[in-house]
Amino acid sequence: MNDVARSAGVSLKTVSRVVNGEPTVDPALVERVRAAVASLHYRPHLGASMLRRKDRRTGTIGLLLEDVGNPFSAAVHRAVEDEARARGVHVLTGSLDDDPERERDLARAFARRHADGLILAPVGPDQGYLALELPPGVPVVFVDRTATGFTGDSVLARNAAGASAAVRHLIAYGHRRIVFLGDLSRITTTRERRRGYLDSVGAAGLRAYTVEGLHDSVAAEAATRELFERARPPTALFTGQNLITIGAVRGLRALGRHHDVALVGFDDFPLADLLEPAVTVIAQDPAAMGRAAAQALFARIDGDTKEPREISVATTLIPRGSGEIPVRFTGSS
Amino acid sequence: MNDVARSAGVSLKTVSRVVNGEPTVDPALVERVRAAVASLHYRPHLGASMLRRKDRRTGTIGLLLEDVGNPFSAAVHRAVEDEARARGVHVLTGSLDDDPERERDLARAFARRHADGLILAPVGPDQGYLALELPPGVPVVFVDRTATGFTGDSVLARNAAGASAAVRHLIAYGHRRIVFLGDLSRITTTRERRRGYLDSVGAAGLRAYTVEGLHDSVAAEAATRELFERARPPTALFTGQNLITIGAVRGLRALGRHHDVALVGFDDFPLADLLEPAVTVIAQDPAAMGRAAAQALFARIDGDTKEPREISVATTLIPRGSGEIPVRFTGSS
DNA sequence: GTGAAAGCGCTAACAT
DNA sequence: ATGTTAGCGCTTTCAC
């Protein structure tokens, strides 16, 4: 920048003004500076400018998701990026893989990099560490899961309501033995979905059957197959998550039962409509969640100090076939 | 940091040494400093340290992909992140959406943020701008597509070879009217895949039929349907990309032809094995591509100055059913 | 082994 | 409208 100033025959400060587009500079000087910038290939150094600046914004936010490679996280990421782009903000990303230690490490790392704020899908049991790692005043918005020990806005799907609707849907088709297949129950989303299941099942006076701790598609497939080795197998399944839904589909296929066991899955997935039968789902809206989270974060960064909000994003039941298979009398009701 | 020094009764420099883990500090002082750091909630400022440091590394790389929300990009992203994590490096991401201007803007932005290097899936016709935007010595590795006007390593799937194999596979099942459905032909990947198609079709003495410029799944579905309104419709389709494959599946379904028209798609996609018929694909290995790109980039950052390399990643033909439908005599050969 | 001084590239506050 | 000076938080260099 010094070189540019010398080459343009102006002071350092004038160069700074031109680079920052401040209006109070003589057009002729602007031209001279511009030319010098171009000929010297000058590139402003954001790190240095942010060091001295008053507002101390880096124009960077951190986004910590379960796994940037999975469709849900990827959709959230994309929506966040779009909001950020509109404000000239860039996004540092990280995958947590259900590892609380990694959650904390990355939060700390992004804090040291002076991210202006964080969007976090928490995996650990407690987010109290954020108060220590983050400089005071750096906002965090939680997405998809709730946080403990740290206050911030959160953006959540209406998990319990969606699950409840799924189960009522199955009940309406005559089902009375409906199994819930869920993943790790320490995750708040899973707990909410199970709660919705239990509510609806209880309200209808049915017995609850749950299988949990299913961590992937393979486990879900195995669990599904085992269900039908029992004396009184279910007539309908409600799966708490994407990978579990797919595992259940594979399991039912393998058993040749996909056309007579009903299935509703939580969370939509690509091609669900092309399977046979097409899979009925409770669709979340990950893009809406990402958008809402980013908007909330930017509002906080811009100084919004209202009470922390909990933003719920609606789910939609999309009937496609698998959830509309009526119960069949199997002789062992 | 000053406060910490004062509170610990040592000099600024000693704090710096402790924070950076330099070994030449008295253990007793280390303890005092550590305590002060904790009690004052001191957090080191990476931006400031990098400003003064000799190597000037920020420990950040930029990753510019087509769309962080699509499965291919997301898988690349995840693989890059894993490599970066192993080195304590963080990843700034951006989606380009086939917009060359955005490509340049983001490259510039990441340069101003002093990313140590860039991984780029180029969309523009020319990457010459990189020489202007990037400080000399900042390496770029290209992934998925080739670049023009700027030298760097590139990581590419064996597109032509894979496409060629797909077509030979169809020919082996007796097909002679095989249509290629492709997207925008200015994209190098598409051109390579078409080239592979043309090679195999030409070698077998068959006529080439191509439909191009299909920018999404809906366009591909419409194009597929139109094909079968012709006098001599194809007996097999080769689709150049994920979304086009899915559009073609939808099209064939709508026509009720999915069990008698053969289909091979380039690029695998989740649930391809659960469709009926299951979809035969030329699978790429996006994780391997991301890994290779990241490894190449880090090698360059660490000073590797060998000739730029072109790393090809193999594709695999996965026969699942749709590609093994033999030709049927339709009376209009 | 420890500290004092200088300065990385830039902008704030105050001249002019 | 432009320039000057000081200093952001840290690491370097060099002295102790």
Side-chain angles (χ1 to χ4, degrees), chain B residues 44-275:
Chain B
H45 188 306
L46 257 53
S49 91
M50 109 74 155
L51 190 59
R52 197 61 181 79
R53 229 181 238 306
K54 201 75 205 192
D55 63 3
R56 251 115 197 312
R57 298 259 182 94
T58 52
T60 308
I61 61 171
L63 176 61
L64 305 182
L65 297 171
E66 157 125 43
D67 169 10
V68 294
N70 83 31
F72 180 84
S73 298
V76 171
H77 178 189
R78 183 54 210 259
V80 168
E81 186 196 321
D82 287 343
E83 289 294 322
R85 180 196 314 193
R87 293 165 176 81
V89 168
H90 296 120
V91 184
L92 277 164
T93 48
S95 300
L96 304 182
D97 287 333
D98 278 325
D99 179 353
E101 206 181 318
R102 182 146 177 73
E103 174 184 333
R104 183 168 183 163
D105 286 350
L106 273 174
R108 180 180 16 236
F110 289 175
R112 281 173 174 23
R113 256 154 223 276
H114 288 237
D116 298 335
L118 250 45
I119 295 177
L120 169 62
V123 299
D126 187 279
Q127 280 63 47
Y129 69 87
L130 287 170
L132 301 173
E133 307 289 8
L134 258 42
V138 171
V140 181
V141 172
F142 301 100
V143 66
D144 189 37
R145 300 173 185 179
T146 55
T148 316
F150 189 88
T151 27
D153 299 321
S154 54
V155 177
L156 301 167
R158 290 206 245 282
N159 289 299
S164 201
V167 175
R168 284 198 307 276
H169 187 74
L170 290 168
I171 291 172
Y173 281 86
H175 296 279
R176 304 189 56 79
R177 284 205 306 283
I178 304 168
V179 168
F180 171 69
L181 296 169
D183 61 1
L184 302 135
S185 49
R186 76 182 156 73
I187 296 171
T188 59
T189 2
T190 304
R191 283 210 300 272
E192 286 297 294
R193 291 171 194 172
R194 184 183 53 195
R195 187 161 70 75
Y197 164 84
L198 293 175
D199 285 354
S200 277
V201 153
L206 304 180
R207 254 185 73 180
Y209 306 83
T210 68
V211 180
E212 292 175 72
L214 270 22
H215 42 286
D216 62 19
S217 174
V218 174
E221 178 175 354
T224 302
R225 299 172 76 144
E226 275 166 31
L227 285 176
F228 293 90
E229 289 167 5
R230 300 187 188 172
R232 305 167 96 251
T235 65
L237 307 179
F238 170 54
T239 49
Q241 192 242 80
N242 241 332
L243 295 175
I244 298 178
T245 306
I246 290 162
V249 169
R250 286 189 206 281
L252 292 176
R253 288 274 184 112
L255 297 166
R257 302 293 301 272
H258 49 304
H259 288 295
D260 57 69
V261 174
L263 170 68
V264 177
F266 204 110
D267 202 6
D268 200 5
F269 55 94
L271 271 49
D273 61 320
L274 283 180
L275 300 183

